[in-house]
Amino acid sequence: AGANLRRYNEAQLQKDICDLVKAWSEHIAQSSLLFIRAPLYQRQVFFGSKTNLFDKDDTRLRTIPFQSRRPTFKELQRVHSFLSTVYHHGSIADLEAERAAQQR
């Protein structure tokens, strides 16, 4: 019974994701970058032969370049804030000094 429930929940999640991506298709088409975070075993939801929501060769696709937590709205806001913030460290010497101080 447990395996059947897990398979049902996975299928329902895949359907929910497909419906959401289709509902947002106009916004996605206008986006300059698309960030996706999914474990390798779940990427079939986005690139699988049945769903094929995104083209693997789409140059806009990126992975989130840092570790993220559970997929909640609060985490989405944190990731968005981090991705849309520019940090200016000054010269290369200043950046190296800052990194050295952080490593101590």
Side-chain angles (χ1 to χ4, degrees):
N4 287 335
L5 182 60
R6 181 185 52 81
R7 280 192 293 273
Y8 171 78
N9 287 337
E10 287 175 355
Q12 191 62 38
L13 176 63
Q14 185 170 354
K15 181 185 178 307
D16 291 346
I17 291 170
C18 291
D19 292 345
L20 188 62
V21 169
K22 288 175 185 174
W24 291 354
S25 62
E26 290 180 29
H27 300 292
I28 291 172
Q30 295 173 1
S31 298
S32 57
L33 290 175
L34 301 171
F35 290 92
I36 294 178
R37 168 69 80 188
L40 287 175
Y41 64 90
Q42 288 184 339
R43 293 202 179 180
Q44 68 182 4
V45 172
F46 299 103
F47 306 110
S49 59
K50 290 182 182 179
T51 57
N52 203 22
L53 297 174
F54 297 106
D55 181 14
K56 282 185 178 182
D57 298 326
D58 191 340
T59 57
R60 302 174 302 158
L61 286 174
R62 305 280 194 281
T63 58
I64 298 173
F66 51 88
Q67 197 169 29
S68 61
R69 301 177 191 122
R70 293 182 59 92
T72 61
F73 185 68
K74 184 176 180 179
E75 178 63 4
L76 175 68
Q77 290 175 313
R78 185 188 76 84
V79 169
H80 178 268
S81 174
F82 198 81
L83 288 172
S84 61
T85 302
V86 176
Y87 296 95
H88 177 67
H89 296 279
S91 68
I92 293 177
D94 293 340
L95 175 62
E96 289 173 351
E98 186 178 324
R99 281 188 183 168
Q102 288 176 352
Q103 291 177 352
R104 292 183 198 150

